[in-house]
Amino acid sequence: MQEASFTNLFKTIMWIIAFYYIFKFLARIFLPVLVKKAVEKAGENFQRQQQYSQDNSWQKTRTNNDEIIINTANAKNPRETKKVGDYVDYEEID
């Protein structure tokens, strides 16, 4: 069984500080590279989705050249606002 001593406490604090600065140093080196790769991958995914969306819209317009569909279901039924309560007019009393 070990006993707590001032020297062991000092060594532990020094190890914690050393690990902190090593981590900070390595993060400065590798974090920009990791962020750059993540941004590039996100950009590729975005371009792929845009290309897929454009391909689908092109196929839809190409197959439905003679037919135009206008959805008027929402235009006939306007939004109804919910009534929360009645408006009460008040007067200030001096």
Side-chain angles (χ1 to χ4, degrees):
M1 184 170 181
Q2 289 183 332
E3 293 181 16
S5 65
F6 181 73
T7 56
N8 287 339
L9 176 66
F10 185 71
K11 285 182 184 179
T12 304
I13 292 173
M14 292 305 291
W15 277 109
I16 291 172
I17 292 172
F19 282 127
Y20 171 74
Y21 281 110
I22 290 170
F23 179 76
K24 190 175 174 181
F25 176 74
L26 293 176
R28 282 188 179 182
I29 294 173
F30 294 114
L31 199 60
V33 175
L34 294 174
V35 169
K36 183 178 178 182
K37 286 193 180 256
V39 168
E40 287 174 356
K41 189 169 185 170
E44 290 173 4
N45 287 341
F46 178 74
Q47 288 178 349
R48 191 177 320 125
Q49 287 176 353
Q50 289 296 324
Q51 184 66 32
Y52 178 75
S53 174
Q54 288 175 354
D55 289 344
N56 279 348
S57 66
W58 175 254
Q59 288 174 357
K60 285 180 184 178
T61 56
R62 200 175 70 207
T63 57
N64 296 332
N65 283 338
D66 299 334
E67 188 176 332
I68 297 175
I69 299 172
I70 299 174
N71 189 1
T72 60
N74 291 336
K76 292 180 183 176
N77 298 330
R79 277 190 179 172
E80 294 182 18
T81 57
K82 293 182 181 179
K83 290 188 177 182
V84 178
D86 294 329
Y87 177 75
V88 178
D89 193 18
Y90 66 95
E91 294 180 13
E92 290 186 21
I93 300 175
D94 292 329

